[in-house]
C-alpha cells in the first residue's frame, strides 16, 4: 500500500504563502486522488510490492500501454507530491548545510543562484509540470523541469529528486491566479532546506 506523506503543518500552517483552501484542495483532493489511483493501477500491474521509485524506473516492463501511461502519470503524481509536501514547513530552515551546501556552492556558485535556476525552470515550464533539484549517487546536482507528472525516474535518468517545485495551476491558481512567479517566490518562504539536505544525504549515502 502506497501511503500519502503526512503533512508537518495544519492546512492553514503555510499561510499566507500557501493558503488553506489550496492546501485542502491540493493535498486533500489532488494528491489523495493520485495516491488512490496509483494504488489501484500498481495492484493491477502487479508492481504494488515494489518501491515507487522502482515502478517509475521500470515502466518499460509494463507492456500494456494504457497501464504504463497510467502508472507514469499517477505514480509520478503520487511520488512528486510526497516529495513536495514533505519539504514544506511553517518554520523552515532557509539554507542547506553540510555536503549539500558545499555541492551547491561548487556547482551553482551560491544558494541564491540555484534558487534562481529552479525558479526559472519552473516559470518556463510550458503548461503543467515541475522543476526538480536532483542528485546522482556521486553527489552531482541537476536543475531540470518536467511536464505533467514526469520526473527524473520516469525520464530514465539515474538521478533522484531531492526538491520538487509544483507549477501545475492547481498548486497556485486559487490564490495567485495567473501570477505563477509570485507563487514561486512564496514557495521559497516555506521550503525547508533541512529536509532537502536530508534527502541529499540519503541519495549519496
Ligand atoms: Mn500538484
Amino acid at each position: 500500500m502506497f501511503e500519502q506523506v503526512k503533512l508537518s503543518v495544519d492546512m492553514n500552517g503555510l499561510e499566507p504563502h500557501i493558503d488553506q483552501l489550496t492546501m485542502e484542495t491540493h493535498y486533500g483532493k489532488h494528491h489523495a486522488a493520485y495516491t488512490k489511483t496509483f494504488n489501484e493501477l500498481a495492484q493491477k500491474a502487479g508492481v504494488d510490492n515494489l518501491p515507487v521509485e522502482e515502478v517509475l524506473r521500470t515502466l518499460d516492463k509494463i507492456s500494456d500501454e494504457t497501464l504504463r501511461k497510467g502508472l507514469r502519470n499517477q505514480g509520478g503524481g503520487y511520488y512528486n507530491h510526497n516529495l513536495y509536501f514533505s519539504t514544506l514547513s511553517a518554520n523552515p530552515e532557509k539554507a542547506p548545510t553540510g555536503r549539500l551546501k558545499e555541492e551547491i556552492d561548487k556547482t551553482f556558485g551560491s544558494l541564491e543562484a540555484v534558487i534562481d535556476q529552479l525558479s526559472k525552470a519552473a516559470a518556463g515550464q510550458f503548461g503543467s509540470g515541475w522543476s526538480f533539484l536532483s542528485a546522482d549517487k556521486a553527489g552531482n546536482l541537476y536543475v531540470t523541469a518536467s511536464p505533467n507528472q514526469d520526473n527524473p525516474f520516469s525520464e530514465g535518468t539515474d538521478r533522484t529528486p531531492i526538491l520538487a517545485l509544483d507549477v501545475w495551476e492547481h498548486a497556485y491558481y486559487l490564490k495567485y491566479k495567473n501570477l505563477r512567479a509570485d507563487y514561486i517566490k512564496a514557495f521559497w518562504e516555506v521550503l525547508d532546506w533541512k529536509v532537502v539536505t536530508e534527502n541529499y544525504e540519503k541519495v549519496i549515502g
Side-chain angles (χ1 to χ4, degrees):
M1 184 80 177
F2 298 99
E3 307 254 7
Q4 197 176 1
V5 74
K6 297 276 177 286
L7 291 177
S8 73
V9 291
D10 292 331
M11 290 292 181
N12 63 359
L14 303 176
E15 293 268 11
H17 308 292
I18 299 180
D19 61 291
Q20 179 171 351
L21 184 59
T22 294
M23 287 297 286
E24 286 169 355
T25 314
H26 195 187
Y27 177 83
K29 307 287 185 195
H30 291 280
H31 189 197
Y34 284 120
T35 303
K36 180 173 182 288
T37 311
F38 175 50
N39 271 293
E40 290 164 4
L41 294 179
Q43 214 164 33
K44 199 171 166 191
V47 294
D48 53 323
N49 57 329
L50 298 175
V52 57
E53 295 88 340
E54 194 60 22
V55 174
L56 294 171
R57 276 197 201 103
T58 57
L59 288 167
D60 289 353
K61 291 185 183 165
I62 311 289
S63 54
D64 182 278
E65 194 187 345
T66 305
L67 200 50
R68 186 169 67 246
K69 277 186 183 165
L71 285 167
R72 184 179 186 121
N73 291 332
Q74 304 295 332
Y78 166 73
Y79 177 91
N80 294 342
H81 287 95
N82 264 7
L83 178 57
Y84 175 82
F85 285 116
S86 69
T87 60
L88 303 183
S89 167
N91 295 298
E93 286 194 13
K94 289 300 182 73
T97 53
R99 287 184 287 182
L100 179 57
K101 179 190 166 3
E102 284 168 27
E103 193 64 28
I104 283 176
D105 289 345
K106 197 177 93 186
T107 307
F108 303 98
S110 66
L111 176 61
E112 292 68 32
V114 73
I115 286 175
D116 187 55
Q117 282 197 30
L118 282 158
S119 298
K120 283 185 175 142
Q125 170 58 41
F126 183 76
S128 297
W130 297 75
S131 72
F132 294 104
L133 180 62
S134 304
D136 61 26
K137 284 207 172 77
N140 301 303
L141 292 169
Y142 306 86
V143 169
T144 55
S146 302
N148 306 316
Q149 296 295 355
D150 290 353
N151 65 29
F153 299 125
S154 60
E155 290 167 337
T157 78
D158 60 356
R159 305 167 189 169
T160 299
I162 60 172
L163 182 166
L165 171 45
D166 189 347
V167 288
W168 280 60
E169 286 183 346
H170 68 222
Y172 62 88
Y173 219 85
L174 291 171
K175 179 178 172 75
Y176 294 96
K177 303 297 187 287
N178 58 315
L179 303 177
R180 184 186 279 192
D182 287 0
Y183 154 73
I184 291 171
K185 266 187 221 150
F187 170 81
W188 300 113
E189 297 297 321
V190 291
L191 189 270
D192 192 348
W193 282 98
K194 180 168 182 272
V195 181
V196 181
T197 299
E198 289 165 1
N199 291 344
Y200 182 70
E201 282 163 7
K202 272 179 228 153
V203 175
I204 64 176

